[in-house]
Amino acid sequence: MLRSLVIKMSTLLPGNIVYGGPVTGTETQSYKSLGHYVMEKYKSFGDKAALIDGVTGQEYTAQYMYKSIVRLAHVLKHLGIQSNDVVGLSSENRIEYAITMFAAFAVNATVAPLNITYSEREVHHAINLSKPKVMFASKMTIDRIAKVAKNNSFVKKIVVFSDSSPNSHVLSFKELMESKKIVSSDTFECVTANKGEDVALIVCSSGTTGLPKGVQLTQSNILITIDSQLEPTAIPLGEIKMLTVIPWFHAFGCLTLITTACMGSILVYLPKFEDHLFLSAIEKHRILMAFMVPPLMVFLAKHPIVDKYDLSSLLVLLCGAAPLSKETEDQIKERIGVPIIRQGYGLSESTLSVLVQNDNACKPGSVGSLKVGLYAKVMDPDTGKILGPNQRGELCFKGDCIMKGYIGDTKSTQTAIIDGWLHTGDIGYFDDDFEFFIVDRIKELIKYKAFQVPPAEIEALLLTNPKIKDAAVIGKPDEEAGELPMAFVVKQANVQLSEQEVIDFVAERASPAKKLRGGVMFVDEIPKNPSGKILRRVLRDMLKKKTKSKL
């Protein structure tokens, strides 16, 4: 049988600790830095296609990537970027994004990707976590970025992915790359990094307490993840075409961009999901493997337009970021004939997936088995006892892929990582075959189309409305999106306030994922425990009763 992922057998160590086995790959360890490794890989692939723009069909070879990265590395040095400086990146998926990220790695800088849907308030918060010295943006985001950067003196330069600059305060990417004033050569000498300490990425991960936290992933975190991905597989990953529409500012998208570059795979990328474009890219490029999230899987399973395209090349769908139902998986297999659908489970804080399905670990409802190089335990959240097979508790992981910590937030870091163990806030268990299952969340994040939406942030926003006395937000189950943010609102006495007014109030002040697509329910009071914590379970029960009464 064709295998899409490496099959390793986990073992149970004393104290009910699950071990995924050693990482046998050591390819990355002899390189000076993450940037050095990526550059040398591109250099070794020569004229082989590396990236394909799924919209224009433009192919970019590994040699083109290498030369572009070398040039931009010299440009970054000219702009004053040194080791451990931060480069901000706000753009949809495009070739300049990849070149900028890898060039920043080459000069041993840190990359801070920003969600392109962030409002000005959210951009301000995010860049004040990472403090970028130079910011790169696309035409889609440049106005917002420039406006916020103006009020933050640590941003010294702004570069737009464009042929020319819109004003004197913004530099043009193309003009910088072609400028004869900036001296460069055909090579770039990477410095030797402290790979265990030097941060490669600061990705934003939403917490349950409000605005995003900055997850610091070291060069070592990423390199060890690449080594674990390079374990031998039955599919020659360096010879296949993969498709992604996952945003590269998202940890899932960003890390898959890095790992596929190092494997030598051909990555066809799209800037956003459009049904015709997505399906035609699979058909035209004969895509063998695609990176997916559950809403895309539901689309493949149910949308009538899918039948108009030849998707027979698809062999593997890798789905992450949120749970996928067995019904959707079965529908896709029956409809398209994709033989291998694999789920995984990971967090920004764990660099990429920590649990992945394979041929020996793909029971319905499972998220697979533990990846190599990792330890896992299931802990009773009340007593701290380490639990055995088939007992539910908080999932905790330990290994070289676990983040350095949250930037500028020692308290949250110490809460998340205790004695080297990352506490996920997710409730799950492993069975007698060491397959893991996720059953609930301690943390209260809403998963809307793979985006993490913190209820506390929307609640805080709602409470700024003078007509609202109190508010609570939960995720309303939705087959296509996973969950839709929904608000329970207590109005101030003697005021008129409609559901649409509340929805519009949030939509005007927050990014699209945080819109109240689940609607608004007006209530007399928000249920809370004696310490004032919102009882979301009670709110979910209220929603269920309301839903049943409508049936």
Side-chain angles (χ1 to χ4, degrees):
M1 183 180 178
L2 185 64
R3 297 180 182 183
S4 66
L5 296 168
V6 187
I7 294 177
K8 294 284 181 181
M9 296 303 293
S10 297
T11 54
L12 191 63
L13 302 179
N16 286 323
I17 305 296
V18 182
Y19 178 47
V23 177
T24 56
T26 58
E27 180 180 303
T28 68
Q29 293 177 19
S30 61
Y31 292 84
K32 294 178 182 178
S33 65
L34 171 61
H36 182 223
Y37 178 67
V38 173
M39 288 179 70
E40 290 301 306
K41 294 302 288 185
Y42 271 137
K43 190 176 180 181
S44 71
F45 297 141
D47 287 330
K48 185 176 179 294
L51 289 157
I52 298 176
D53 185 323
V55 177
T56 66
Q58 175 75 46
E59 287 194 12
Y60 300 95
T61 65
Q63 184 181 46
Y64 173 86
M65 291 300 294
Y66 175 76
K67 288 181 177 179
S68 300
I69 293 165
V70 167
R71 172 59 182 170
L72 187 56
H74 285 290
V75 169
L76 289 173
K77 296 293 280 187
H78 174 80
L79 294 177
I81 296 296
Q82 301 174 349
S83 283
N84 299 313
D85 281 341
V86 178
V87 173
L89 193 45
S90 175
S91 167
E92 68 281 10
N93 297 356
R94 54 188 294 153
I95 195 67
E96 295 92 343
Y97 189 114
I99 292 167
T100 302
M101 181 173 69
F102 293 136
F105 291 162
V107 301
N108 212 45
T110 301
V111 175
L114 294 178
N115 187 323
I116 61 172
T117 70
Y118 274 174
S119 65
E120 288 178 21
R121 178 180 67 99
E122 291 162 323
V123 170
H124 176 78
H125 171 78
I127 68 172
N128 272 276
L129 290 175
S130 57
K131 302 244 180 334
K133 195 171 183 179
V134 176
M135 293 201 68
F136 288 77
S138 68
K139 287 182 179 179
M140 182 189 296
T141 63
I142 187 62
D143 290 344
R144 215 174 317 140
I145 295 300
K147 191 172 180 181
V148 175
K150 208 181 290 183
N151 299 317
N152 291 281
S153 60
F154 50 78
V155 180
K156 305 302 181 187
K157 297 280 193 301
I158 303 171
V159 182
V160 64
F161 294 144
S162 178
D163 293 350
S164 59
S165 170
N167 59 61
S168 59
H169 302 294
V170 177
L171 303 169
S172 157
F173 182 87
K174 186 179 181 185
E175 288 174 358
L176 285 172
M177 293 293 275
E178 296 176 352
S179 174
K180 293 178 181 177
K181 294 178 183 178
I182 301 174
V183 180
S184 65
S185 64
D186 294 335
T187 59
F188 184 83
E189 188 65 33
C190 295
V191 300
T192 300
N194 182 345
K195 291 179 276 194
E197 289 296 322
D198 290 349
V199 175
L201 288 171
I202 299 173
V203 292
C204 288
S205 174
S206 297
T208 57
T209 54
L211 288 160
K213 295 193 283 285
V215 175
Q216 298 177 99
L217 299 178
T218 66
Q219 295 189 29
S220 183
N221 288 154
I222 296 171
L223 289 167
I224 198 74
T225 299
I226 293 169
D227 275 335
S228 71
Q229 299 286 104
L230 292 175
E231 297 276 330
T233 63
I235 295 177
L237 295 176
E239 299 171 20
I240 67 172
K241 284 183 179 177
M242 301 183 178
L243 175 66
T244 188
V245 69
I246 313 295
W248 289 342
F249 61 75
H250 191 290
F252 182 20
C254 188
L255 271 300
T256 51
L257 169 60
I258 296 169
T259 53
T260 52
C262 297
M263 289 173 186
S265 306
I266 301 170
L267 186 64
V268 180
Y269 62 89
L270 294 168
K272 63 179 179 178
F273 176 74
E274 293 180 53
D275 49 16
H276 291 281
L277 204 52
F278 179 75
L279 296 169
S280 62
I282 297 172
E283 181 178 82
K284 178 182 176 183
H285 297 288
R286 306 302 294 160
I287 298 296
L288 186 143
M289 185 183 294
F291 296 104
M292 306 288 285
V293 289
L296 291 179
M297 299 293 275
V298 172
F299 167 76
L300 285 183
K302 297 191 171 183
H303 202 289
I305 195 177
V306 172
D307 294 326
K308 296 179 181 178
Y309 292 82
D310 176 9
L311 308 183
S312 60
S313 62
L314 280 175
L315 286 179
V316 184
L317 295 176
L318 298 176
C319 188
L324 174 70
S325 71
K326 183 179 184 299
E327 291 73 22
T328 300
E329 184 176 328
D330 290 343
Q331 284 175 322
I332 292 173
K333 285 184 175 179
E334 185 177 338
R335 186 180 194 186
I336 302 172
V338 181
I340 300 170
I341 295 176
R342 297 289 183 249
Q343 288 195 71
Y345 166 86
L347 309 90
S348 302
E349 291 86 344
S350 65
T351 308
L352 199 55
S353 55
V354 288
L355 301 168
V356 180
Q357 288 185 335
N358 59 48
D359 284 351
N360 283 357
C362 55
K363 292 174 186 171
S366 93
V367 286
S369 60
L370 193 61
K371 282 178 67 175
V372 293
L374 282 160
Y375 298 86
K377 65 180 180 181
V378 178
M379 192 180 81
D380 186 311
D382 297 320
T383 67
K385 181 184 176 183
I386 310 305
L387 306 173
N390 304 302
Q391 294 179 289
R392 298 181 176 193
E394 183 181 14
L395 297 178
C396 304
F397 298 93
K398 191 175 190 177
D400 292 333
C401 65
I402 303 302
M403 68 168 178
K404 183 176 183 177
Y406 298 114
I407 190 166
D409 194 343
T410 304
K411 185 179 177 182
S412 292
T413 300
Q414 291 173 344
T415 301
I417 302 175
I418 303 170
D419 296 329
W421 288 93
L422 174 66
H423 290 244
T424 65
D426 287 319
I427 297 292
Y429 67 94
F430 61 92
D431 65 12
D432 295 321
D433 298 317
F434 302 113
E435 280 198 64
F436 282 76
F437 298 78
I438 311 295
V439 295
D440 203 354
R441 288 204 294 274
I442 297 175
K443 55 189 181 183
E444 297 159 346
L445 290 173
I446 297 165
K447 279 290 189 84
Y448 169 73
K449 291 191 173 181
F451 287 100
Q452 295 181 332
V453 177
E457 183 184 343
I458 305 175
E459 288 160 1
L461 185 58
L462 286 167
L463 291 174
T464 65
N465 188 321
K467 292 184 177 181
I468 294 176
K469 182 179 180 181
D470 202 358
V473 174
I474 64 168
K476 181 179 180 180
D478 181 79
E479 184 181 29
E480 184 180 342
E483 293 177 313
L484 302 174
M486 176 188 176
F488 291 79
V489 169
V490 180
K491 291 187 279 191
Q492 295 283 12
N494 305 315
V495 300
Q496 294 294 317
L497 182 65
S498 70
E499 178 181 9
Q500 194 58 49
E501 278 183 81
V502 177
I503 291 170
D504 291 344
F505 181 83
V506 172
E508 289 164 8
R509 292 164 176 79
S511 49
K514 294 165 188 168
K515 289 182 178 181
L516 296 175
R517 289 179 170 84
V520 175
M521 187 187 296
F522 291 104
V523 292
D524 294 331
E525 65 175 351
I526 301 297
K528 296 177 182 178
N529 70 6
S531 66
K533 185 175 174 60
I534 295 170
L535 298 173
R536 297 182 201 279
R537 175 182 50 78
V538 176
L539 295 174
R540 291 189 189 97
D541 289 342
M542 288 168 62
L543 176 60
K544 284 178 186 175
K545 287 176 184 175
K546 182 184 177 184
T547 305
K548 283 181 181 177
S549 67
K550 285 184 176 181
L551 296 177

